[in-house]
Amino acid sequence: MIGKIVKMAAPALAGAMLLGMSSLDKLRVDRSEAASFHVAAERAVKAAPKVIGPWYAGKEIPLPSDAAEMLHANAYLHRPYANLVTGQSVQLLLVQCRETEDMQGHFPPICYRNAGCLINFPGDCATWRVGEGLEITGCEYGVTWPNGARQYIRDFFILPNGKIVPDMEGVNAAAKDYRELAYGVAQVQLLFDASVGGAERDAIFSTLIGANRPLIDVLRNAANLIPRVGH
């Protein structure tokens, strides 16, 4: 009797095991699927405009070796801009990682503190309108460097699913979807001298980030590439 039950149950057990293995296959992240996205992201970052109205780019700032070891960046840009009319200056920093977890240590409240800075946390989060139809929710932090220099840093993250989020909480929430892991995440910072007022920061942010709208669109354009359950 027991032998008959075992024989009858065997096909059902085998079917259940195959179904389970199929489900596990769907949970695997095929990073090759995202290869073309990362190539496009790297090209778009390299093509970021060096002249934006009266703003002219200076010499690129290289990625420090310790940060390079942490980020394993697919694309990186740290570029100072100077306004030839007003004399103001600002820095644009962008890093795009293939692995979402590599961005953890580059979150401003972590990386600037690790550099010996004082930083207000959680920062002042807001939604900034940039050009036609683009709203960016990010956070602004006040930073004091060990030498006493002060800056304001506006920071936001671009997700491959089309969303823009202000902090690592939003990034980590997106990373729970295994289908998005292969597409990584990008972070954008605009660094202002503390002498630049709030209204001026708004205007500069709108100008520089607005001019990089094509780049932002590429970095969040993986939404249609991410495989869906059952595909």
Side-chain angles (χ1 to χ4, degrees):
M1 186 67 171
I2 293 176
K4 290 184 178 179
I5 293 175
V6 170
K7 289 181 180 179
M8 293 175 63
L13 288 171
M17 290 178 65
L18 289 173
L19 182 61
M21 291 172 65
S22 176
S23 298
L24 288 174
D25 284 339
K26 292 178 181 179
L27 290 174
R28 291 174 183 162
V29 178
D30 186 355
R31 303 195 182 280
S32 65
E33 292 180 349
S36 61
F37 168 74
H38 290 300
V39 170
E42 183 181 16
R43 288 175 178 169
V45 171
K46 289 181 177 179
K50 294 184 177 181
V51 179
I52 303 172
W55 294 92
Y56 284 73
K59 185 178 180 180
E60 304 279 340
I61 301 172
L63 178 63
S65 57
D66 56 342
E69 292 176 2
M70 172 185 68
L71 287 168
H72 307 108
N74 177 64
Y76 180 81
L77 172 71
H78 189 175
R79 181 181 291 169
Y81 285 85
N83 189 311
L84 300 188
V85 175
T86 66
Q88 293 173 321
S89 62
V90 66
Q91 295 177 34
L92 172 64
L93 188 155
L94 187 150
V95 58
Q96 186 253 339
C97 296
R98 292 174 177 268
E99 304 285 346
T100 302
E101 62 182 13
D102 288 338
M103 192 67 78
Q104 298 288 336
H106 205 253
F107 184 38
I110 296 176
C111 65
Y112 285 97
R113 281 176 177 163
N114 288 342
C117 299
L118 299 175
I119 183 170
N120 68 310
F121 181 75
D124 298 319
C125 297
T127 298
W128 302 294
R129 180 166 292 178
V130 178
E132 187 70 25
L134 177 61
E135 291 187 342
I136 292 178
T137 299
C139 289
E140 182 174 86
Y141 305 93
V143 174
T144 303
W145 289 84
N147 64 1
R150 296 177 58 244
Q151 287 182 315
Y152 287 107
I153 298 172
R154 291 196 177 185
D155 178 82
F156 60 93
F157 296 87
I158 304 171
L159 302 178
N161 61 13
K163 296 180 181 178
I164 296 175
V165 297
D167 52 32
M168 286 305 300
E169 183 177 347
V171 174
N172 291 335
K176 292 178 181 179
D177 188 335
Y178 69 92
R179 293 159 295 178
E180 297 180 19
L181 290 177
Y183 295 85
V185 62
Q187 180 185 185
V188 179
Q189 294 183 20
L190 220 55
L191 295 81
F192 303 88
D193 184 82
S195 64
V196 181
E200 292 176 301
R201 295 197 298 274
D202 288 343
I204 295 170
F205 184 91
S206 180
T207 297
L208 267 64
I209 300 301
N212 282 282
R213 172 70 182 270
L215 166 57
I216 292 172
D217 287 343
V218 169
L219 293 175
R220 61 178 184 165
N221 196 37
N224 294 327
L225 302 176
I226 297 172
R228 298 296 148 198
V229 174
H231 288 193

